[in-house]
């Protein structure tokens, strides 16, 4: 089986007649203060032995621009929730010439809502956060030479800093967990306890001498998951934290559980 994901960007607000030629930036293109969205459409199935395609991406582009953009045009002028709009979008894209796997709508570059074609009764919310912290990688199980050799600059005695980005992925029933609540809970159990801290020295979770774990990006993702999952479970809507991704730099991230 193969999965193919196509990203389609488009603007909403001026009517879907604002067709452009720059699909990379968005088509229909932005006019004035239009809203700009990004939709990721994933299909799963077998590859055609003649064409080598799972699906012709032009079919996805056409379906989004001809049939989904008008749904958005209507939704932004009414009181439609993102989850309800995503449900309409998923239903519309079921007629694609390949089995629809999931649709993910980026409402902003940092916030998205995803619906699986097989389970339209739940959505997966993601929102990015940032925090800054210092850490040092130094394993007590290794000699000083081995630590220097393994961790290099990350073993410098006084530590060093990162601007981390954190993205929880939370499964919930549509329209039951507000972004405000997700932000408040994440801020309370992850951002506030760790932002502008020296992870090894200021927090028990990453202080090896106090039973903590090394503050590698892998361990940071796991520790954050173990803090956020039970906090979210106390919300009245009973959302489930599926996974959490932490970026240490824009080139390195870890997801737990994978
Ligand atoms: Ni580092």
């Amino acid at each position: 089986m193969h999965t193919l994901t196509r990203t389609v960007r488009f603007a909403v607000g001026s009517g879907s007649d604002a067709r452009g030629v720059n699909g990379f930036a968005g088509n229909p293109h932005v006019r004035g203060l239009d809203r700009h969205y990004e939709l990721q459409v994933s299909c799963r199935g077998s590859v055609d032995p003649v064409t080598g395609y799972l699906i012709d991406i032009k079919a996805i582009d056409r379906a989004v621009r001809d049939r989904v953009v008008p749904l958005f045009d209507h939704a932004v002028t009414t009181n439609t929730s993102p989850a309800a709009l995503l449900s309409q979008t998923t239903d519309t894209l079921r007629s694609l010439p390949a089995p629809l796997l999931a649709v993910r709508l980026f409402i902003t570059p940092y916030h998205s809502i995803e619906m699986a074609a097989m389970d339209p009764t739940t959505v997966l919310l993601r929102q990015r956060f940032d925090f800054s912290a210092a850490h040092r990688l130094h394993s007590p199980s290794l000699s000083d030479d081995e630590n220097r050799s393994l961790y290099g600059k990350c073993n410098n005695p006084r530590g060093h800093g990162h601007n981390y980005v954190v993205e929880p992925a939370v499964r919930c029933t549509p329209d039951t967990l507000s972004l405000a609540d997700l932000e408040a809970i994440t801020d309370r159990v992850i951002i506030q306890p760790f932002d502008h801290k020296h992870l090894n020295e200021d927090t028990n979770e990453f202080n090896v001498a106090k039973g903590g774990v090394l503050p590698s990006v892998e361990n940071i993702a796991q520790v954050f998951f173990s803090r956020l999952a039970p906090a979210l479970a106390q919300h009245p809507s009973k959302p489930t934290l599926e996974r959490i991704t932490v970026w240490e730099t824009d080139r390195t991230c870890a997801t737990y559980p994978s």
Side-chain angles (χ1 to χ4, degrees), residues 135 154 160 162 248:
H135 75 161
C154 296
H160 61 279
H162 289 285
E248 189 171 77

Side-chain angles (χ1 to χ4, degrees), residues 65 106 234:
R65 297 201 165 104
F106 283 83
Q234 289 176 6

Side-chain angles (χ1 to χ4, degrees), residues 40-43 90 93 99-104 114-118:
Q40 288 182 352
V41 180
S42 297
C43 295
T90 303
L93 295 176
L100 183 67
L101 177 64
V103 181
R104 182 177 178 186
E114 179 176 338
M115 181 173 284
M118 294 287 286

